[in-house]
Amino acid sequence: MPDSPAGPPAPPIPLAALLGREELGLRRIAGPDHADLLWVHTSEMADPYPYLLGGELLLTAGVQLDDADTYVARIVQAGASALGFGVAPVHDTVPAALVEACDRHGLPLLEVPPATPFAAVARAVWRLMAEARHRELRRVTRAQQALATAAARPDPVPAVLRQLAVQLEGRVALLTSDGGVLHAAGGRTAPDVQTALARLARVVAPAAPSGGTGTGRTPSPSAATDTRGGTHLFAYALAGGQGLALALATPRRDAGDHTVAGIAVVLLSLLTAPHQGADAAGRSAALVRLLLGASPQDVAPLLDDGDSWTVVHARRTDGTPADPLNAGALGAALGSALSDTDRRTVRVLLPGHHEIPPQPGWTLGVSEPGPVASLPGADAQASRALGHAEATRSPLSTHRPGAGFAGLLPREEAEAHARALLAPLADPLPETLRCWLSLHGSWDRTAVALKVHRNTVRQRIARCAALLDVDLDDMDVRTELWFALRSSR
């Protein structure tokens, strides 16, 4: 079967659920009585194999059905889940050779009556998927609330494990890299299952080699799976470098289980993080001093131990709000526990130099690295980079420091000239002008980046031109303003 792309954003639909729609009049006449449907595809090609993704309910009227056995063998090879055959106008009945071929190859065959359009079957499948997705989201939301409540208990780690065992209806355990059980909850498992879980824990959280730091070792996977006698086994590595793994043994694997387990992994990673060392203690002291009114310059020596810092701003690509769990998960994926969110934008603070990769489901804006004293400026850089990424529909945009001719000017003189040139402009005009120039004068992209209407952008830019008494269609004017805006950061 060809490599398949990621499945649709909904759980698979059991064949029985589709057959249960009496208004369709579908009837299974060959093959097994169970299958999971991911898509619906209609084709009258003699060989639809090249156009199948896997998991389809393939609908056909048999226009070019000549060799039933070869036809069925090919669609089974492509990974199709079931075949629906429309009776009339080509065939009065389902060909007997097709029925025999589906039985032989183990492919469910459905008879689609003449009164049922293929479009009605497709619509029914998508409705079932929407209903399943809604049930999954409600279940994940309830589980997230229950796990968060458990994490607030006096014994948070055992409480989270107990709640996870309830949510997944299985056995859960917190294991060390050598398979030792720190905490466990849920029903007992067979010895071979316990052995298999310990093996999975060693895969995702292997012990560091004695006498070394592990530098140069092949990175371990963050998750691993196995089965034992119908029991589904899973292991997830916890962040923090403690060599701990969350192990699960469940009698079945339902939609949303991976998401629920992921929430538990984030919580347990935070709860089992090591006690802070001297560096972390110094940073905590710096935060306390900031809260008590100290200036960033005063606490910089406690934070800036030779590292540079990078600020990342992020928003969900689907527009959904970001909660603290989302923020924590994103921070963990980027390698930092320093994250915050205002429900719209997540901010992550990364110590040291980092190559920031795109993150699925997120749009990222990244600042240039700099000392702790420059964090306010880096925060603004990350914000502008995020706006640029959203405007250009890119998964990630990184702020690039100015260079070239602008770097030839003495900084003090450049800043003084910029202040004088831009003095007539009051907020939010400078930022609007900066964004508009960076996006090559695009009204629509600037509106997206600033989260305002395009007419608002036009009005602000016109106001800038009037206050500065310049022609913004003149490239020399644009260039000078761009240098001034960059010097005024």
Side-chain angles (χ1 to χ4, degrees), residues 185-221:
R188 293 287 181 181
T189 56
D192 64 324
V193 171
Q194 298 176 20
T195 301
L197 287 176
R199 186 181 303 114
L200 290 181
R202 289 193 292 271
V203 170
V204 300
S210 58
T213 61
T215 302
R217 296 168 55 204
T218 301
S220 302

Side-chain angles (χ1 to χ4, degrees), residues 157-297:
V157 171
V160 168
L161 292 175
R162 288 194 297 269
Q163 188 56 239
L164 184 61
V166 171
Q167 296 295 329
L168 300 185
E169 299 180 4
R171 173 76 170 178
V172 301
L174 187 61
L175 305 182
T176 61
S177 57
D178 59 2
V181 180
L182 295 180
H183 299 282
R188 293 287 181 181
T189 56
D192 64 324
V193 171
Q194 298 176 20
T195 301
L197 287 176
R199 186 181 303 114
L200 290 181
R202 289 193 292 271
V203 170
V204 300
S210 58
T213 61
T215 302
R217 296 168 55 204
T218 301
S220 302
S222 59
T225 65
D226 198 359
T227 56
R228 282 291 184 277
T231 300
H232 299 271
L233 311 180
F234 306 87
Y236 300 87
L238 300 191
Q242 299 306 294
L244 301 180
L246 173 64
L248 312 174
T250 59
R252 62 182 184 276
R253 187 62 164 170
D254 293 333
D257 283 0
H258 179 71
T259 303
V260 173
I263 295 169
V265 168
V266 172
L267 289 172
L268 292 170
S269 296
L270 296 173
L271 293 171
T272 59
H275 294 295
Q276 60 185 14
D279 290 343
R283 291 170 181 166
S284 295
L287 294 176
V288 170
R289 295 186 191 183
L290 282 173
L291 290 173
L292 295 177
S295 68
Q297 289 75 17

Side-chain angles (χ1 to χ4, degrees), residues 389-478:
E390 291 184 320
T392 57
R393 300 182 180 179
S394 302
L396 181 147
S397 179
T398 300
H399 175 83
R400 300 299 180 190
F405 291 113
L408 300 177
L409 299 175
R411 184 175 183 84
E412 294 77 9
E413 294 182 18
E415 291 178 349
H417 177 70
R419 285 194 298 271
L421 180 62
L422 302 174
L425 304 184
D427 290 337
L429 296 183
E431 183 59 29
T432 302
L433 182 58
R434 184 202 310 271
C435 185
W436 182 73
L437 290 173
S438 72
L439 294 170
H440 312 291
S442 170
W443 308 110
D444 291 330
R445 289 185 173 185
T446 305
V448 171
L450 297 177
K451 304 298 181 184
V452 297
H453 194 275
R454 67 194 308 269
N455 288 343
T456 301
V457 176
R458 288 182 178 275
Q459 292 167 2
R460 289 180 183 177
I461 297 301
R463 183 64 175 160
C464 290
L467 290 172
L468 297 173
D469 192 22
V470 295
D471 179 8
L472 290 178
D473 291 329
D474 188 323
M475 192 60 199
D476 289 338
V477 172
R478 290 194 183 197

